[in-house]
Amino acid sequence: MNAHWGAVVVAAGRGSRMGTAESKQYLPLHGKPILVHTLELFQAMDEIADIALVVGESDVERCKGLVMEYKLSKVTAVVAGGSERQHSVYAGIKSLSPAAEWVMVHDGVRPLITKKAIRACCEKAEHSGAAVLAVPVKDTIKQVDDSGLIVATPDRRSLWAIQTPQAFRRDLLTSAHERAVAEHFLGTDDAMVVERTGAPVAIAEGDYTNIKITTPEDLPWAEFLLEKRMERGE
Ligand SMILES: Nc1ccn([C@@H]2O[C@H](COP(=O)(O)OP(=O)(O)OP(=O)(O)O)[C@@H](O)[C@H]2O)c(=O)n1
Ligand SMILES: C[C@](O)(CO)[C@H](O)COP(=O)(O)O
């Protein structure tokens, strides 16, 4: 990684699939909020100069407190997100320092990301302009219609499960988001926003432990993975 990188960490979701009163990004993992684990990893990377943290409007002050408490000095902006993930990402990009020519976007609820995986993704992006972390799917995937009948079995060899970070030249990501706003397009990740402009987006192979904490069964799994890493001194 040679370029000047900024990171947008999005954490403005409600976590409805987790079903807890407290939004999942603030739930404790080994005694620390999930979101803090994620931010500490980015803070510890020399290649990352600047982090924009995007949170719910009512959590902005609370998160400024977490930034102070955990000495997250690279978090230069804590801003309110929007009703959809894509809106939150766009708010984050706009609040990053103008010096960041390259941007990676990461889910605040993927605390098990590693420096090695971040570097692999960013290096691919520096080569091709845009890259996303992903793993090959392990299951057979079926396309199913509204009546519950299988309509197709896509060839698994071409299917990848997409993760974050997703890394881009900043001007490419910014113009793709501007176009999506103008055309009322909503995607579930940033690669989709960029793909529709015709720009190539590369895959960087990650690993299966970079889970997105989404539903209750993900929490003990994340605790277990984190414990194993700590035992290995990582
Ligand atoms: N309007 C939104 C929606 C999501 N996110 C963030 O995007 C990441 C991935 O989203 P997901 O796990 O789906 O989070 P939620 O939207 O919180 O979950 P759910 O769909 O279960 O409500 C999370 O870090 C989440 O906080 C965001 O910043 N703004
Ligand atoms: C960006 C993402 O984490 C890639 O897997 C995912 O698309 C977020 O989607 P969600 O539906 O908001 O969980």
Side-chain angles (χ1 to χ4, degrees):
M1 281 170 76
N2 300 312
H4 182 125
W5 281 91
V8 172
V9 174
V10 284
R14 286 176 304 279
S16 51
R17 286 171 285 181
M18 182 59 74
T20 45
E22 174 82 297
S23 296
K24 61 185 177 178
Q25 53 273 39
Y26 304 110
L27 295 177
L29 192 60
H30 262 268
K32 247 190 283 190
I34 288 169
L35 177 60
V36 171
H37 283 278
T38 306
L39 291 168
E40 283 184 339
L41 198 276
F42 285 83
Q43 169 79 24
M45 288 187 69
D46 290 341
E47 299 94 330
I48 297 171
D50 180 21
I51 303 167
L53 173 60
V54 187
V55 298
E57 199 166 3
S58 57
D59 292 320
V60 170
E61 289 311 312
R62 169 195 194 169
C63 286
K64 285 182 179 168
L66 288 176
V67 166
M68 298 287 280
E69 182 182 348
Y70 290 95
K71 300 184 173 48
L72 299 164
S73 57
K74 290 185 187 170
V75 178
T76 51
V78 181
V79 296
S83 59
E84 300 294 334
R85 183 184 182 282
Q86 190 176 307
H87 302 143
S88 300
V89 172
Y90 190 38
I93 301 165
K94 286 189 285 188
S95 66
L96 267 182
S97 142
E101 291 169 10
W102 293 79
V103 180
M104 71 188 87
V105 181
H106 188 66
D107 294 330
V109 293
R110 287 190 192 266
L112 290 153
I113 185 62
T114 62
K115 292 179 187 173
K116 185 178 167 210
I118 293 172
R119 288 186 180 121
C121 184
C122 293
E123 280 161 14
K124 269 271 164 84
E126 284 173 9
H127 184 71
S128 52
V132 301
L133 213 55
V135 285
V137 299
K138 293 197 253 189
D139 296 321
T140 295
I141 305 291
K142 303 282 185 189
Q143 193 184 340
V144 179
D145 70 14
D146 289 345
S147 67
L149 291 175
I150 293 170
V151 290
T153 306
D155 185 346
R156 189 167 65 187
R157 288 171 300 178
S158 68
L159 294 177
W160 292 72
I162 303 302
Q163 306 175 342
T164 66
Q166 303 197 345
F168 308 89
R169 238 186 33 240
R170 185 184 185 155
D171 57 352
L172 173 65
L173 184 62
T174 302
S175 60
H177 270 269
E178 283 166 357
R179 183 166 158 182
V181 170
E183 296 172 1
H184 306 288
F185 173 82
L186 265 185
T188 54
D189 75 345
D190 300 287
M192 281 174 80
V193 172
V194 172
E195 286 159 40
R196 62 193 294 279
T197 69
V201 182
I203 289 289
E205 187 159 358
D207 69 76
Y208 294 96
T209 62
N210 179 25
I211 59 168
K212 179 160 76 68
I213 297 179
T214 305
T215 50
E217 66 272 17
D218 295 330
L219 279 172
W221 181 222
E223 288 276 1
F224 171 80
L225 291 169
L226 193 63
E227 245 165 57
K228 290 289 160 204
R229 278 194 193 171
M230 288 159 88
E231 280 170 22
R232 293 195 299 265
E234 291 171 16

